[in-house]
Amino acid sequence: MKIAVMGAGAVGCYYGAMFALAGHEVVLIGRAPFVDAVSQSGLTLEKGGERLVAKVRASTDPSMIRGADIVMVCVKSGDTREAGQQIAPHLALGCIVLSLQNGVSNAETLGQITGRPVLPVVVYVASHMIGPGVVRHEGRGDLELSGQGAEVVADIFNVAGVETRVFDDVMASLWAKLVVNCAINPLSAITGLPYGKIAAQEGMPELMRDIAREALSVAQAEGVSVPDAVFETIRTIPVTMAGQHSSTAQDLGRGKPTEIDYLNGEIVSRAAKLGIDVPINRTLTLLVKSAERGSTVDGKTNSIGQ
Ligand code: PAF
């Protein structure tokens, strides 16, 4: 199959490499330094002590997604609109568009812009770029998805070694991931620590639980019932992804805008409309935004660069 990946950050590169290594034709759309590195040396995936080089095509030109059977959108939430506009004219008839992004509304936004049904994919992977064209895997990598065509995609992904589950209740699944992101992403960004070290500190597991409770009160008020298993996910992530810094921490480290408005900030704005007080999520949003103002280099990201 031809699989196109829009956004060559840690998520796009991890899955792009996995599918290329499984024999699929993969094209990644990214920034020039990434494209140069991959054109010279391929896409390198460091995983389980191995260094695997995947043969992929890389380009800065979104029209290279033409003819793809599956298009995976992996850009940051703030770049979704631009990415949607860039891919829309090049989507093949019948191609399946997936959103592998944090947040609860990106698939809907992409669907409106592209005029195609877009399947939301809930991503649990710990990965980061250690250089242009080199991605390191730190843990997990499993996906959850739902919607028309989900079974077909799940079969292709499972055969390629990417564990993929199909879920009926997409909102519950997206919200569960949002709650997890709220509980761990800002703490890693503010402390600069990986999940394992954060959870080992006194009071931190309880803080994560309280952040999650606030977020869940908003989900509940919106009529979304997130299974209690979300607390177990929050407890296990510091074990299964012990060495991982959140994507929010990685963005701050690179001087890029974070996705905080789509994570804890999303909870804050929805809570305000519902008349619910979410003081911990509000505080964390403010702290990350403050850190972001101090670290942002150019004040904006590029949709294809993550
Ligand atoms: O945003 C992130 O960092 C990721 O969604 C996750 C799964 C929490 C792993 O770090």
Side-chain angles (χ1 to χ4, degrees):
M1 297 206 104
K2 177 170 175 179
I3 300 181
V5 180
M6 182 71 183
V11 170
C13 285
Y14 173 71
Y15 291 106
M18 289 295 287
F19 295 131
L21 289 166
H24 292 292
E25 179 192 342
V26 173
V27 58
L28 288 116
I29 310 301
R31 284 202 209 162
F34 168 81
V35 173
D36 292 346
V38 169
S39 306
Q40 272 178 24
S41 328
L43 174 60
T44 304
L45 168 63
E46 292 191 0
K47 187 175 184 200
E50 279 188 289
R51 215 175 142 82
L52 309 159
V53 179
K55 244 181 95 184
V56 300
R57 272 189 300 154
S59 177
T60 56
D61 178 3
S63 74
M64 294 296 286
I65 71 160
R66 263 196 208 130
D69 302 291
I70 297 177
V71 174
M72 300 172 36
V73 178
C74 301
V75 302
K76 296 287 178 191
S77 301
D79 297 324
T80 299
R81 287 184 172 279
E82 193 186 341
Q85 283 154 3
Q86 289 173 336
I87 61 169
H90 312 295
L91 293 172
L93 216 66
C95 101
I96 298 175
V97 186
L98 308 174
S99 154
L100 283 83
Q101 299 170 279
N102 283 332
V104 290
S105 52
N106 284 305
E108 201 185 319
T109 305
L110 276 173
Q112 284 161 2
I113 292 172
T114 60
R116 301 294 185 100
V118 176
L119 276 62
V121 183
V122 178
V123 182
Y124 286 101
V125 69
S127 58
H128 61 271
M129 301 303 294
I130 58 169
V134 186
V135 60
R136 182 176 290 159
H137 175 258
E138 294 277 358
R140 292 189 62 171
D142 46 303
L143 304 173
E144 293 173 1
L145 79 162
S146 74
Q148 211 186 347
E151 301 279 355
V152 178
V153 176
D155 282 349
I156 296 164
F157 285 9
N158 279 312
V159 170
V162 172
E163 186 193 323
T164 306
R165 299 177 291 275
V166 176
F167 266 72
D168 288 340
D169 190 346
V170 63
M171 279 327 275
S173 208
L174 285 171
W175 268 88
K177 173 74 190 297
L178 175 62
V179 172
V180 170
N181 281 133
C182 287
I184 62 175
N185 281 46
L187 298 185
S188 175
I190 293 162
T191 62
L193 293 173
Y195 305 143
K197 287 206 167 131
I198 296 170
Q201 288 176 3
E202 202 186 327
M204 284 299 198
E206 291 78 10
L207 176 57
M208 291 179 191
R209 181 202 59 204
D210 294 345
I211 300 166
R213 279 186 180 158
E214 275 189 6
L216 285 169
S217 69
V218 175
Q220 202 177 8
E222 293 205 359
V224 181
S225 90
V226 179
D228 275 351
V230 73
F231 289 106
E232 185 56 19
T233 309
I234 293 167
R235 270 193 296 274
T236 54
I237 278 190
V239 180
T240 54
M241 300 185 181
Q244 174 77 357
H245 291 81
S246 68
S247 55
T248 316
Q250 294 179 42
D251 289 337
L252 275 188
R254 292 203 190 94
K256 289 185 168 184
T258 71
E259 292 186 299
I260 200 70
D261 282 337
Y262 300 86
L263 307 179
N264 306 75
E266 180 85 50
I267 298 299
V268 174
S269 57
R270 286 176 187 250
K273 286 185 197 134
L274 293 159
I276 299 173
D277 195 19
V278 286
I280 314 177
N281 281 274
R282 199 175 55 242
T283 306
L284 292 170
T285 304
L286 286 171
L287 288 174
V288 171
K289 278 178 167 290
S290 170
E292 191 180 83
R293 275 191 288 274
S295 76
T296 303
V297 175
D298 57 4
K300 63 183 171 70
T301 51
N302 177 316
S303 68
I304 57 178
Q306 282 225 43

